[in-house]
Each structure stands twice: as structure tokens, then as C-alpha cells.
Amino acid sequence: MRINPVLSIIVGYTGTGKTTYIERMIAKYSRALVVTPHVSEWKQYETIDLRDKNYYKYQGTHRVDANRKIMQSVNRSPDFFRNGL
């Protein structure tokens, strides 16, 4: 069975429901990776290190504090995202 991953990029002004939408998506799916440039947000989720070659095997919801290097790393690893990440 093949799992079709969902990739959502959420951008918007303050107060437009971004956080509410993301929280609903997290509740709907068994796995989620929140990539945020704001290290003070989403602290309820454990941070994972993308330098760990097995990061795509995690279960549940995790967070990555994004910077340009991390975004390039995620972009270079499309095979990991095709199987349910």
C-alpha cells in the first residue's frame, strides 16, 4: 500500500487562522513535521535533527527550527517525503 503524503505550506497575515489550520491538520494525520523559522513557537513538539540520517522514521509530530541550510536539506531529500513523511 502506498501512502500519499500531504505537504502544506502555510503563509499569511497575523490572525488569519494559520495556527488553527495547522493544529487541525496535525490532529487529522498520525505524523507531522512542523518546519518553522520561529524557535519560540510550536515548543510542545520535540525538535528533531535533520542531520540524523534516520529522521524520516520518526512517529508522531515533531518540529524543525528552519533556516536556509535546513530548507535546502529538506528540498534535496524528496524520496523521504514520498513515503508518508
Side-chain angles (χ1 to χ4, degrees), residues 1-66:
M1 180 173 102
R2 182 152 173 90
I3 299 171
N4 294 319
V6 173
L7 172 62
S8 298
I9 300 173
I10 312 301
V11 179
Y13 293 107
T14 302
T16 58
K18 297 178 303 295
T19 300
T20 301
Y21 176 76
I22 294 168
E23 287 171 348
R24 288 180 182 160
M25 294 294 287
I26 288 170
K28 182 177 179 179
Y29 296 97
S30 61
R31 294 175 68 203
L33 179 62
V34 177
V35 181
T36 178
H38 306 289
V39 297
S40 62
E41 296 178 352
W42 302 99
K43 291 231 174 240
Q44 67 270 38
Y45 302 113
E46 180 183 350
T47 302
I48 61 170
D49 187 349
L50 294 181
R51 292 175 294 186
D52 177 358
K53 297 295 183 192
N54 293 313
Y55 76 88
Y56 60 92
K57 294 181 180 179
Y58 74 87
Q59 296 296 313
T61 300
H62 289 75
R63 181 183 96 223
V64 172
D65 296 329

